[in-house]
Amino acid sequence: MFSSNENMLIGIIVCVYFVFLFSLSLYINKRKIKTYDDYNVAGRSVSIFPLILTFVGTAVGGSILLGFMTDGYTDGMGQQWLNNSIFITGIITAFFLVRRIRFLGEKYHMVTLGDFTALRYGEAARVPTVISVLCAYCAVTGMQFVAIATILKLTIGLNMTIGIIISWLLLTLKTYFGGLKSVIWQDAVHGTLQTVGVFILFFAILAFAGDWSSMTSYASSLNEGYMFDFNHITMREVFVYFCTIGGYQFVRQDLWQRFWAAKSYKTAIYGYWASIIVGLLVGAAVIAIGVMARYGLGLDNVDPTLIYYHAIDAVFNFPMVVVMIIALMATVISCADSFFMAGSSSIINDIIKPRMKYADDARILWYSRLSVVTVSIIALLLALYLPQLVDLWVVGTAMLVSGLLAPAFFGLFWKGATKTGGITAMWLGLIVAVIWQLAGHPFGIHPVFIGLPLSTIAIVVVSLLTRPQKQYQEDIWAKAE
């Protein structure tokens, strides 16, 4: 795709970029991170601008930029339902969940989803919560390793397996030292780069290819006009996207942590609204780029997983290609380190910390960093096992949604949800979804269509059959109505 000299130059720039980010993490670690809250929730003091960009930076990762573009290229505009599922659930979250999540987090000084489920369903709820969170966040972290490995393969010709291992090592070191405070401030840079980069590419391809109608006509001449049909997707696929990638938005620990990291409720809600609108536009543009690359640039005989690289090579000169590679790196890294933090904070906060009778901040910080390494190793193994971006995302989110979505929703809005009902729902949904996944989707049924309904039924039925602790629930909701 590029000449040997160009590949070498891109490889050097990628390495320099990593060194810069690692140096910034070391600086923030030395100057800004003094406490456990600094490392895991950025000191609960993040202002509006970095909050918006960290929301965007986390939401738009390698799976969206590379995975969505590939899906647009292979399956057409019907894949906008991938993006729509995220947007619709984002609106529901903004209207109905953020206020309660924020107020409960403030009142009880929460750090993880495990803090919430333990409050609603008792300390025994932490273990299934952590397992569900790790299933999702190790998977989506692994996706970023795959995305970076792809970049390294194209730039310096590295084998994918070696590239995954190198990206694992570099991202682990950066996140190990920087914590969430470093992640958020780096996302301010990454979020800007990736957003601007996507729209530059979108308009460049549109200008190069001509208007939308000419591309539609060309596709029709090939008997492929359906590729521009927004309804060219099966209802089964739509439901899978809504129940996995969409449902995942409700119980994304990285989102909850940013709601708590914001310096005020207004900052959290304004920042989140801005981010879901920007995210919708970015996601829509990415899918459209995949379609336009095929019918506007004539890239109809290339590896779909490499469509981003072929597209930028087709419309830009080499200096601009380098800029777009950096934008891609920013996209991947901003997502990866956020998911590192979400997964690792569950291990330290919900598994290790409750079992430590005496521990100062220095010791807890050390365990927090050790948790980052643990998450990174699990993510590495998943990336090596299933190196398909969107498939890996859907599998991971199905486990999280099956185990946590019903208990979280009922825990937020139904005071009648009991400890026994919540814990039963978590274990049942999670175990059934994992077994169904390992069994290879018997009868062609996706795990989320088994785990989520069973979890929902379990929390309702068991809660109705058991006695709620009324005073306990009244205390929870005292200031969160």
Side-chain angles (χ1 to χ4, degrees):
M1 183 179 297
F2 306 117
S3 70
S4 58
N5 288 336
E6 289 173 339
N7 283 344
M8 182 178 298
L9 180 58
I10 293 174
I12 292 172
I13 291 172
V14 168
C15 292
V16 170
Y17 190 60
F18 261 112
V19 171
F20 165 72
L21 294 177
F22 181 63
S23 301
L24 184 59
S25 295
L26 290 177
Y27 172 80
I28 292 175
N29 172 63
K30 183 177 180 180
R31 296 294 184 92
K32 304 291 185 180
I33 297 176
K34 306 297 181 184
T35 67
Y36 173 73
D37 268 6
D38 285 341
Y39 192 80
N40 287 284
V41 284
R44 304 180 191 270
S45 60
V46 182
S47 57
I48 186 70
F49 177 70
L51 190 70
I52 292 173
L53 292 175
T54 191
F55 275 135
V56 173
T58 304
V60 183
S63 56
I64 286 183
L65 187 53
L66 298 178
F68 279 21
M69 196 175 295
T70 296
D71 286 352
Y73 178 84
T74 57
D75 299 317
M77 292 299 290
Q79 296 301 300
Q80 291 290 351
W81 284 100
L82 272 166
N83 194 42
N84 293 343
S85 65
I86 297 173
F87 179 64
I88 292 170
T89 50
I91 291 175
I92 295 171
T93 299
F95 273 120
F96 300 109
L97 273 67
V98 176
R99 179 179 292 276
R100 287 184 173 231
I101 292 170
R102 171 70 190 190
F103 285 157
L104 286 175
E106 278 187 317
K107 183 177 181 181
Y108 296 98
H109 209 66
M110 292 179 178
V111 175
T112 63
L113 273 167
D115 284 334
F116 169 71
T117 57
L119 181 70
R120 283 297 279 116
Y121 305 118
E123 286 297 315
R126 289 191 187 273
V127 175
T129 301
V130 171
I131 295 173
S132 297
V133 167
L134 289 179
C135 282
Y137 283 94
C138 290
V140 292
T141 302
M143 290 189 311
Q144 315 315 314
F145 297 160
V146 174
I148 292 177
T150 304
I151 298 172
L152 296 177
K153 178 182 178 181
L154 290 174
T155 54
I156 56 179
L158 272 183
N159 173 271
M160 279 294 293
T161 299
I162 296 175
I164 288 172
I165 293 172
I166 290 176
S167 64
W168 160 72
L169 179 62
L170 294 174
L171 285 173
T172 299
L173 286 173
K174 188 188 83 66
T175 311
Y176 177 91
F177 287 103
L180 188 61
K181 185 165 286 190
S182 170
V183 168
I184 286 177
W185 282 105
Q186 288 185 23
D187 280 357
V189 177
H190 292 153
T192 301
L193 283 173
Q194 70 187 39
T195 302
V196 172
V198 165
F199 288 112
I200 287 175
L201 179 57
F202 175 84
F203 288 112
I205 293 178
L206 193 60
F208 187 92
D211 57 36
W212 190 260
S213 61
S214 63
M215 288 184 278
T216 306
S217 299
Y218 175 63
S220 297
S221 70
L222 300 175
N223 294 320
E224 296 175 1
Y226 59 84
M227 292 288 282
F228 287 82
D229 183 0
F230 286 83
N231 294 317
H232 180 63
I233 187 171
T234 66
M235 289 305 297
R236 180 185 179 279
E237 288 179 283
V238 172
F239 281 127
V240 168
Y241 292 154
F242 267 100
C243 291
T244 55
I245 294 173
Y248 157 67
Q249 306 304 310
F250 295 129
V251 283
R252 275 182 57 180
Q253 182 160 284
D254 57 292
L255 281 185
W256 287 45
Q257 288 177 320
R258 279 158 175 74
F259 297 148
W260 298 330
K263 66 179 182 180
S264 68
Y265 166 70
K266 286 186 177 181
T267 300
I269 192 63
Y270 292 158
Y272 185 59
W273 267 114
S275 71
I276 61 176
I277 292 171
V278 172
L280 171 70
L281 297 175
V282 170
V286 167
I287 293 169
I289 287 170
V291 179
M292 292 192 300
R294 182 167 184 166
Y295 297 103
L297 301 181
L299 300 174
D300 55 0
N301 191 29
V302 299
D303 183 349
T305 62
L306 304 180
I307 189 59
Y308 176 85
Y309 309 95
H310 286 290
I312 62 175
D313 188 42
V315 298
F316 294 132
N317 57 25
F318 182 70
M320 194 62 195
V321 167
V322 172
V323 172
M324 296 305 297
I325 292 291
I326 293 173
L328 174 60
M329 291 292 296
T331 300
V332 176
I333 294 169
S334 65
C335 213
D337 49 18
S338 296
F339 294 145
F340 261 133
M341 291 306 306
S344 65
S345 59
S346 281
I347 294 175
I348 177 61
N349 192 73
D350 300 321
I351 300 297
I352 299 175
K353 192 179 176 185
R355 291 162 175 77
M356 297 172 67
K357 292 184 178 180
Y358 307 101
D360 55 19
D361 257 339
R363 188 177 180 191
I364 296 176
L365 272 174
W366 185 83
Y367 277 118
S368 295
R369 292 190 167 103
L370 186 62
S371 299
V372 168
V373 176
T374 302
V375 168
S376 78
I377 292 173
I378 300 172
L380 171 64
L381 296 176
L382 284 172
L384 294 172
Y385 167 71
L386 185 62
Q388 286 79 37
L389 293 173
V390 175
D391 289 345
L392 190 54
W393 191 10
V394 170
V395 168
T397 55
M399 305 302 108
L400 178 64
V401 168
S402 296
L404 278 188
L405 183 56
F409 250 96
F410 282 99
L412 283 170
F413 296 104
W414 185 34
K415 295 181 182 180
T418 65
K419 291 183 179 181
T420 307
I423 293 173
T424 301
M426 288 180 201
W427 280 118
L428 181 63
L430 175 62
I431 290 172
V432 169
V434 170
I435 292 174
W436 208 262
Q437 175 64 35
L438 294 176
H441 301 198
F443 312 110
I445 301 175
H446 196 278
V448 76
F449 293 143
I450 302 295
L452 179 57
L454 287 177
S455 178
T456 303
I457 293 170
I459 193 170
V460 173
V461 173
V462 176
S463 292
L464 291 174
L465 295 175
T466 53
R467 177 186 240 174
Q469 289 74 29
K470 293 182 180 179
Q471 182 60 47
Y472 180 70
Q473 291 170 346
E474 287 169 4
D475 289 344
I476 290 176
W477 302 110
K479 294 182 181 179
E481 297 290 353

